[in-house]
Amino acid sequence: MNQCAHFEWLDEYIERIQLAGASGEIDLPLEAEKFGSGLSRSGNSIGATVGDAGVTAVTAELKNLNKQMKKIIELKKQDNLVAGLFYVCVIALAFVYVMIISR
């Protein structure tokens, strides 16, 4: 059985998913094919001795990871939104403070 030697840092993976359009559904078997995992679009193995159960298990695991990555991306977006609102509030309070002091 061929082993996959692909490694990718989580931050780079998140950026790649965002660039690919995380709002749309990613075709996971096709994505696996890009990295040479031996899966075809139909889900059958190519040259590997992986059975149909193994292919469906890998596909299910990839879909689970895809869902988890989408959750992480959404949490990061929420984190950025909260940080932005915090800075807007700080700037607004500073502006009000300057207006009160200048009177």
Side-chain angles (χ1 to χ4, degrees):
M1 181 174 183
N2 295 336
Q3 291 185 342
C4 178
H6 176 77
F7 176 81
E8 190 170 7
W9 290 103
L10 181 62
D11 294 337
E12 294 171 359
Y13 179 73
I14 291 172
E15 289 176 16
R16 184 172 57 83
I17 292 294
Q18 286 176 333
L19 291 176
S23 61
E25 189 66 32
I26 296 175
D27 189 12
L28 293 174
L30 185 59
E31 285 295 315
E33 190 176 73
K34 286 182 187 176
F35 297 118
S37 68
L39 298 175
S40 69
R41 287 190 106 171
S42 63
N44 297 329
S45 60
I46 301 174
T49 58
V50 178
D52 287 338
V55 171
T56 55
V58 168
T59 303
E61 182 66 25
L62 286 173
K63 287 183 179 181
N64 186 22
L65 287 173
N66 189 29
K67 288 178 186 176
Q68 291 175 356
M69 285 296 122
K70 285 183 179 184
K71 287 179 185 177
I72 290 173
I73 290 168
E74 287 302 315
L75 288 174
K76 283 190 170 267
K77 286 179 182 178
Q78 289 176 1
D79 184 35
N80 290 339
L81 180 63
V82 169
L85 289 174
F86 173 76
Y87 288 121
V88 167
C89 289
V90 168
I91 291 170
L93 286 174
F95 181 73
V96 169
Y97 178 73
V98 168
M99 293 300 290
I100 291 172
I101 295 287
S102 66
R103 286 189 175 216

